[in-house]
Amino acid sequence: MEDDNAAVRVIQDLRNLTASRAPGTRLPSVRELTARHHASPVTVARAVRRLVGEGLIEAVPGKGTFVAARPEHRPPAPDLSWQAIALGPRPAGEEAMQALLAIPRPDAIPLSSGYLDADLQPATALGTALARAARQPSTWQRGPVQGRADLRAWFAREAGGALHADDMVICPGGQAALSTAFRALAAPGEPILVESPTYLGALAAARAAGLRVIPVPADADGVRPDLLGTALTRTGARLCYCQPLHANPHGAILSPRRRGAVAEAVRAAGAFLLEDDYARDLTIDGSPPPPMAADDPDGHVVYLRSLTKSAAPGLRVAAIGARGAAGARLRAARTLDDFFVAGPLQQAALDFVTSPAWARHRRTLRSALESRRDALLAALRRHLPEFVPPTPPRGGLHLWIRLPDDLDDVELAAEAAAEQVVVFPGRPWYATEPAAPHLRLTYAAAPPPLLDEGVRRLARAVAALRLRS
């Protein structure tokens, strides 16, 4: 709702400026409008595009925006207001997801991203694998709707051995797998339990499926099993979403003493645990524990694993698996969604993860993530010591920063955008009101020198915000 109001303010401001100034007059930059209206850069850019479409503004790449020339006979603007009634309320979470996935401006430093920096992606190896796959005529033919058997077998082995190839189905990315699972394993109106805070994309997908999202608090040791058991009993929920390894956004690993308690709570309730194992290849310190699916004799754990986060955004290949009727429902739902994942992409993914290049990439990535994590922590100690987290994450892509009480996370993100550094507020990662303000800072999207400069700019944004308050 705040983003909608900000968009209205920006649009009205630009309409007033274009009406009062001569054609060709330069208009305020996105940075100026972001600071003036406390709006996100995504909101400002959307407002500018709308007025460009109406012919009131002319955008010149590399130079800015200007008042457009006024034609002698301007056709009336199309009246699209009827769509508000026809469409009804907008689904919750769309605005936050669009902001999260927005590509930063070239002159902005990204401290917010869910993907690896291009320099960390194995683009050459992936390109070679895809070119080889594209030359094989069989990859262009229709394959099994659940995906290639050999690729499913690889994902099943990665799950720890409790699942088999026939339990798995290949999906076009982890987000698609989440959407399928929420629709296949729960009905609209039913509750789903999630860690609090949790992955923004999971919240959006659950709400889009019509589920009632119930948060269960998590701390440095992961989701609290005592509160999970209470929530299962009180709500009657039969589906829990969990990231036991390097949870996004807070980075916690479900502690060994809690793993058994969480599994027992789920078993006692006759529920499913959807294990999102997105970060298995993103561990920095030590060795990751096995998936919870590996120690699940009775089919309570639904396992999800994606290659996108650990390889490249364009490698939209994931797998989700479950045993028994749950697995059958997942496979049926995926068939209805899009039949099957493109054959050349499946073949390229299999070629890559079964080649020496995959092991080399994981070793290189681990070292690079350690270097960047430590660089971001060092930059915070230099420029914003009050932002340093008490415990550095042992893996993943992010730092979860508890802000001082005098700072608002959304306002700080907008102020940072005016300083040309992109950060993401913590508020959207909660299913309900957050207990405290946070920022999620990503160390995988920029090299160490830019991380330092990004934190320097963030410090300027903090100082400017405090000066005005």
Side-chain angles (χ1 to χ4, degrees), residues 230-281:
T230 299
L232 284 164
T233 300
R234 289 186 176 179
T235 66
R238 293 296 175 262
L239 180 60
C240 310
Y241 171 75
C242 185
Q243 292 181 326
L245 182 61
H246 310 312
N248 182 9
H250 53 86
I253 300 174
L254 188 62
S255 66
R257 61 186 177 84
R258 287 190 180 180
R259 285 169 64 98
V262 167
E264 179 55 36
V266 171
R267 281 195 296 267
F272 292 104
L273 178 72
L274 175 51
E275 179 183 11
D276 185 351
D277 200 21
Y278 85 100
R280 180 132 308 261
D281 306 310

Side-chain angles (χ1 to χ4, degrees), residues 288-302:
M292 294 190 70
D295 188 26
D296 172 47
D298 300 319
H300 287 277
V301 178
V302 178

Side-chain angles (χ1 to χ4, degrees), residues 41 59 71 99 112 130 150 156 162 181 202 209 227 262 283-284 352-353 360 369 389 404-405 451 457:
S112 175
L130 187 58
D150 42 10
L227 298 180
V262 167
T283 295
I284 297 173
F352 175 59
V353 298
R360 287 196 301 269
L369 289 179
D405 290 334
L451 293 175
R457 296 182 187 185

